[in-house]
């Protein structure tokens, strides 16, 4: 994909002015390549997934710190991204649904790219960075606001039966080059911009937002074929956790909106296999696009002075716990991949089991690039963990989700579930928002399994742990 003439002239003008502005400043500022993949759970080789074909992400991980226990603040796109990009938790920026723009609640917030723009960087976003709707974009964050999503059309269906408008089949794979689909175009635009930055010498904050592996699972046929000999039969732990309240679940409404998925009832074993196959194929599609970008960064000689952050905005269920997609407080939806490469700081690639949050990304980048902190940030810089991945780290991770399910589009929740994750447990409290009472409690011991299997809340053996975690959640929901 080629950027249009107006956009390229605009970029050239901004880079020229920015270069003159920064000319003569001492020391080369580190660049930032900020990459997010939509609905990407840690089904990646470097996270131990033996089925995933992800050589390019694995190569990046080999020179980075891989965070094994990173968690988002709410497991759906808009709240998660708003939290990362404002440095504020959902209760602080007012974004707990898919339609609210954070500036409705915190109009003076300084976003992550905005902080870099204010520091003299050129900030540009390609693809889906903020939530991908017009009302949730944030033009003030970008040096060139016009090119976020520029020329990246949303056409994902090519089979005639799927061209009726709106949701069609949940997955589709057709022959063609990578740039037939949006993420291939996004990678091409990113590479063009890297070349422009190389010519200008101007420090940049370049955000690339891949749209896969979000539904519908659509990509070139070759990515489906990568897994044609992989066995995707049999979903491990497909039962709901014993004793879990119904409010913790949903009816897979997102998936059921597709024309080849029944409105109710279980999926056939073949449909389950096909959906999982398609999800993994889309991960590999993203992996190859990322590889093209990293290769270009190397060719241009920019790698040594560029910090790379790769993260997923939330996790995902693929039939486990009788759930599909996201939108819960469970481990599979709240846990995300997070990989950070910082050449000037990381002495040896490694991984860390420290519990961290997506909200920590903003203060980490500010810290690594030496920017002045000029806004309130709730997260904590992860720079110490980049330097000493095995150091003692006693933080916990907080997430939340609203109910009923339709509240993510209607703005009118009746309940909010708050959850905390430490090294050993996940504890969740469900509050009735009308009378501020706790209606349901969930406690899961995750020392032997990452999946929640049995709700232990109310048992005498775990009373002390439950009291400790309940106090933490009560304090968390009142932060401001």
């Amino acid at each position: 994909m080629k950027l249009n003439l107006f956009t390229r002239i605009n970029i050239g003008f901004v880079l020229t002015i920015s270069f003159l502005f920064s000319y003569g400043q001492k020391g080369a500022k580190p660049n930032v390549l900020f990459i997010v993949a939509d609905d990407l759970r840690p089904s990646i080789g470097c996270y131990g997934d033996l089925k995933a074909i992800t050589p390019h992400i694995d190569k990046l991980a080999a020179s980075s710190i891989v965070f094994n226990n990173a968690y988002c603040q709410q497991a759906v796109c808009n709240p998660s991204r708003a939290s990362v990009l404002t440095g504020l938790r959902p209760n602080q920026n007012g974004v707990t649904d898919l339609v609210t723009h954070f500036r409705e609640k915190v109009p003076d917030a300084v976003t992550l790219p905005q902080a870099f723009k204010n520091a003299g960087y050129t900030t540009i976003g390609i693809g889906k960075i903020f939530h991908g709707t017009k009302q949730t974009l944030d033009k003030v964050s970008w040096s060139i606001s016009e090119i976020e999503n520029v020329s990246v059309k949303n056409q994902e269906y090519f089979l005639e039966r799927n061209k009726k408008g709106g949701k069609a089949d949940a997955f589709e794979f057709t022959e063609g080059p990578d740039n037939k689909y949006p993420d291939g175009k996004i990678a091409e635009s990113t590479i063009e911009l890297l070349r422009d930055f190389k010519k200008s010498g101007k420090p940049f904050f370049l955000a690339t937002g891949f749209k896969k592996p979000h539904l519908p699972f659509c990509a070139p046929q070759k990515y489906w074929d990568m897994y044609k000999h992989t066995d995707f039969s049999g979903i491990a732990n497909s039962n709901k956790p014993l004793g879990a309240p119904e409010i913790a679940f949903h009816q897979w409404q997102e998936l059921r909106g597709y024309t080849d998925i029944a409105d109710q009832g279980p999926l056939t074993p073949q449909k389950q296999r096909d959906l999982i196959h398609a999800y993994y194929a889309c991960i590999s599609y993203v992996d190859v696009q990322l590889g093209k970008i990293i290769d270009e960064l190397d060719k241009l000689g920019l790698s040594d002075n560029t910090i790379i952050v790769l993260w997923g905005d939330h996790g995902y269920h693929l039939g486990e716990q009788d759930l599909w997609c996201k939108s819960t407080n469970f481990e599979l939806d709240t846990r995300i991949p997070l990989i950070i490469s910082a050449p000037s700081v990381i002495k040896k690639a490694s991984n860390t089991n420290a519990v961290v949050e997506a909200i920590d990304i903003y203060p980490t980048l500010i810290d690594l690039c030496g920017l002045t902190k000029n806004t309130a940030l709730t997260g904590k810089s992860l720079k110490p963990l980049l330097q000493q991945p095995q150091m003692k780290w006693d933080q916990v991770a907080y997430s939340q989700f609203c109910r009923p399910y339709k509240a993510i589009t209607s703005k009118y929740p009746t309940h909010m579930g708050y959850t905390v994750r430490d090294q050993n447990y996940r504890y969740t409290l469900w509050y009735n928002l009308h009378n501020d009472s706790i209606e349901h409690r969930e406690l899961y011991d995750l020392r032997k399994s990452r999946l929640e299997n049995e709700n232990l809340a109310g048992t005498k053996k775990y009373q002390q742990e439950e009291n400790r975690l309940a106090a933490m959640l009560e304090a968390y929901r009142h932060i401001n």
Side-chain angles (χ1 to χ4, degrees):
M1 181 190 74
K2 298 294 183 182
L3 299 174
N4 63 46
L5 179 61
F6 173 78
T7 298
R8 295 201 64 81
I9 292 172
N10 215 354
I11 294 171
F13 175 76
V14 169
L15 289 177
T16 300
I17 295 300
S18 299
F19 177 76
L20 293 174
F21 172 79
S22 62
Y23 182 75
Q25 292 183 350
K26 294 182 179 179
K29 295 181 179 179
N31 305 308
V32 176
L33 182 56
F34 180 85
I35 304 173
V36 56
D38 206 352
D39 285 17
L40 177 64
R41 74 184 204 173
S43 292
I44 306 169
C46 60
Y47 278 90
D49 192 309
L50 300 180
K51 293 182 178 179
I53 303 173
T54 54
H56 303 287
I57 298 177
D58 298 343
K59 181 180 178 181
L60 173 64
S63 60
S64 307
I65 301 300
V66 175
F67 291 84
N68 293 329
N69 293 304
Y71 296 88
C72 69
Q73 273 46 75
Q74 187 169 335
V76 71
C77 301
N78 190 34
S80 175
R81 291 165 186 260
S83 184
V84 169
L85 293 163
T86 64
L88 302 172
R89 299 186 185 279
N91 275 16
Q92 294 176 305
N93 62 30
V95 182
T96 59
D97 56 52
L98 295 176
V99 292
T100 300
H101 183 19
F102 63 85
R103 294 213 183 270
E104 297 173 24
K105 307 291 184 179
V106 282
D108 297 326
V110 178
T111 68
L112 174 58
Q114 189 179 356
F116 277 85
K117 185 177 78 168
N118 293 345
Y121 281 69
T122 299
T123 62
I124 299 178
I126 290 290
K128 184 177 177 181
I129 310 303
F130 291 93
H131 189 48
T133 58
K134 289 183 179 179
Q135 66 267 33
T136 53
L137 299 180
D138 192 56
K139 291 185 177 182
V140 71
S141 293
W142 309 108
S143 302
I144 308 288
S145 61
E146 292 86 354
I147 77 164
E148 187 178 13
N149 297 305
V150 67
S151 300
V152 181
K153 296 181 180 180
N154 289 321
Q155 182 181 3
E156 303 199 71
Y157 293 121
F158 292 90
L159 298 179
E160 286 303 317
R161 70 171 184 271
N162 291 328
K163 290 184 177 181
K164 298 177 182 179
K167 289 184 177 182
D169 287 351
F171 60 91
E172 178 191 287
F173 292 82
T174 62
E175 297 293 344
D178 286 355
N179 63 6
K180 181 178 181 180
Y181 292 88
D183 281 351
K185 296 180 174 71
I186 289 169
E188 288 182 345
S189 291
T190 301
I191 288 169
E192 281 190 62
L193 288 166
L194 288 174
R195 291 168 180 168
D196 289 340
F197 284 125
K198 174 63 177 179
K199 292 176 184 177
S200 74
K202 176 69 183 74
F204 60 82
F205 179 100
L206 179 54
T208 295
F210 291 118
K211 299 189 175 187
K212 295 296 125 189
H214 194 290
L215 280 166
F217 304 141
C218 300
Q221 181 68 37
K222 60 185 176 182
Y223 295 102
W224 174 275
D225 293 343
M226 282 184 178
Y227 293 92
K228 61 185 178 181
H229 298 304
T230 304
D231 182 8
F232 289 111
S233 61
I235 298 172
N237 299 294
S238 61
N239 296 322
K240 292 180 178 180
L242 184 65
E246 280 304 309
I247 198 171
F249 302 89
H250 53 72
Q251 304 302 314
W252 329 336
Q253 287 93 324
E254 180 182 359
L255 179 63
R256 292 193 190 277
Y258 290 86
T259 56
D260 58 336
I261 306 297
D263 292 337
Q264 57 184 352
L267 303 178
T268 66
Q270 184 60 53
K271 181 62 73 173
Q272 291 178 359
R273 287 193 294 271
D274 287 346
L275 287 170
I276 299 170
H277 185 158
Y279 181 83
Y280 272 78
C282 285
I283 290 177
S284 291
Y285 175 46
V286 170
D287 176 75
V288 170
Q289 307 321 302
L290 178 139
K292 294 175 184 177
I293 293 169
I294 302 300
D295 286 348
E296 187 66 25
L297 197 72
D298 291 340
K299 291 176 184 176
L300 294 172
L302 294 172
S303 297
D304 290 344
N305 194 43
T306 299
I307 297 164
I308 303 172
V309 177
L310 171 64
W311 62 291
D313 56 354
H314 45 71
Y316 210 75
H317 274 83
L318 292 171
E320 302 94 346
Q321 299 173 313
D322 194 29
L323 286 163
W324 290 86
C325 306
K326 58 268 190 182
S327 304
T328 76
N329 281 322
F330 290 125
E331 186 83 358
L332 276 172
D333 285 350
T334 57
R335 182 173 173 243
I336 63 170
L338 175 61
I339 299 171
I340 299 179
S341 170
S344 64
V345 173
I346 297 173
K347 304 305 179 185
K348 183 180 179 181
S350 185
N351 57 58
T352 176
N353 289 324
V355 174
V356 303
E357 301 177 285
I359 203 171
D360 297 329
I361 294 172
Y362 188 155
T364 300
L365 289 175
I366 294 294
D367 192 5
L368 290 173
C369 295
L371 273 61
T372 301
K373 180 182 174 182
N374 56 7
T375 188
L377 299 176
T378 304
K380 183 176 182 179
S381 173
L382 303 177
K383 184 177 178 180
L385 283 171
L386 297 178
Q387 297 169 320
Q388 299 181 60
Q390 310 311 319
M391 69 178 289
K392 185 177 181 181
W393 190 265
D394 292 328
Q395 302 299 305
V396 298
Y398 295 98
S399 305
Q400 62 191 84
F401 214 92
C402 54
R403 288 290 186 261
Y405 181 88
K406 66 180 181 180
I408 61 174
T409 56
S410 70
K411 291 190 176 184
Y412 299 109
T414 60
H415 294 74
M416 184 68 73
Y418 294 93
T419 187
V420 59
R421 173 70 154 98
D422 66 9
Q423 285 286 354
N424 298 323
Y425 302 98
R426 175 171 297 285
Y427 188 63
T428 305
L429 294 176
W430 288 96
Y431 286 84
N432 183 317
L433 297 179
H434 296 308
N435 58 23
D436 206 35
S437 64
I438 298 172
E439 292 192 354
H440 302 282
R441 302 171 185 266
E442 300 174 71
L443 175 66
Y444 302 100
D445 188 340
L446 301 180
R447 286 176 290 184
K448 294 182 180 180
S449 170
R450 275 200 178 272
L451 279 181
E452 298 89 346
N453 292 314
E454 181 180 3
N455 181 12
L456 301 168
T459 59
K460 185 176 181 180
K461 177 181 178 181
Y462 292 92
Q463 191 62 54
Q464 184 175 349
E465 296 295 345
E466 188 171 352
N467 292 342
R468 175 180 65 87
L469 295 168
M472 295 171 70
L473 282 180
E474 184 64 20
Y476 168 75
R477 76 186 191 98
H478 286 113
I479 62 171
N480 52 41

